[in-house]
Amino acid sequence: MVESPELLDRLASPELSDQSRQEAMAKIAERLNLSFPVRSFAVVIARHGRIREIGAIAESYRDLLDQAMGRERATLTFAMQPSDAEVARVISGLESIAKLKIIPTVKVDPALLGGVTAELGGKIYDGSLATRLEEAKRRLAG
């Protein structure tokens, strides 16, 4: 549901009665085979008019779960599609820095020219060739 803005817009529409909204949420949760507590929570979200906030609710829950399980999410951006070994090497380095298990999201940005950047816990670790070339250019112009 979080990834379907059309569905969220329709469920949050004032044209839909509160009863219909709650029934729709219950049916969607049931079709997704969600557990009874999660289905009940979905109906509570609908009852209190918080359907538009379901993405933020899911993200907050994920963050709390990650914290409880000792893990952190990181975005790794490579210049080219990395091999599994390259991703594993970067993850290993980040895990030694963070002292947490890292859950990566891998992206590709050819503008980096080479290397990798990693965003972890609000910090950016930049090992890209583009940044290194820019630093060299500044030093030479210095």
Side-chain angles (χ1 to χ4, degrees):
M1 283 184 55
V2 172
E3 295 173 359
S4 177
E6 303 86 21
L7 177 60
L8 289 177
D9 287 344
R10 181 68 182 127
L11 285 173
S13 170
E15 297 171 357
L16 200 60
S17 73
D18 287 341
Q19 183 64 32
S20 296
R21 184 176 295 111
Q22 291 173 37
E23 288 172 6
M25 283 293 280
K27 285 180 183 178
I28 291 167
E30 186 176 335
R31 284 224 174 130
L32 292 173
N33 290 322
L34 301 177
S35 66
F36 179 75
V38 176
R39 277 190 250 168
S40 298
F41 184 63
V43 173
V44 169
I45 289 171
R47 185 179 308 131
H48 291 280
R50 300 290 187 210
I51 290 175
R52 291 203 189 276
E53 288 82 21
I54 200 164
I57 292 168
E59 187 177 329
S60 293
Y61 176 76
R62 184 196 71 198
D63 292 346
L64 288 171
L65 184 60
D66 286 347
Q67 184 180 16
M69 297 188 76
R71 54 190 193 199
E72 179 85 33
R73 294 180 187 267
T75 301
L76 311 178
T77 307
F78 291 84
M80 297 182 302
Q81 187 62 42
S83 67
D84 291 343
E86 290 170 321
V87 172
R89 191 178 72 219
V90 173
I91 290 171
S92 175
L94 291 174
E95 286 177 342
S96 67
I97 291 169
K99 308 289 188 242
L100 297 168
K101 177 167 177 36
I102 301 297
I103 300 171
T105 299
V106 177
K107 295 181 179 180
V108 175
D109 181 3
L112 295 180
L113 301 177
V116 62
T117 64
E119 183 180 344
L120 173 69
K123 293 181 182 177
I124 296 177
Y125 300 91
D126 193 340
S128 69
L129 182 57
T131 299
R132 290 180 185 176
L133 288 172
E134 191 61 37
E135 287 174 4
K137 182 178 165 183
R138 272 197 318 266
R139 286 182 189 154
L140 290 172

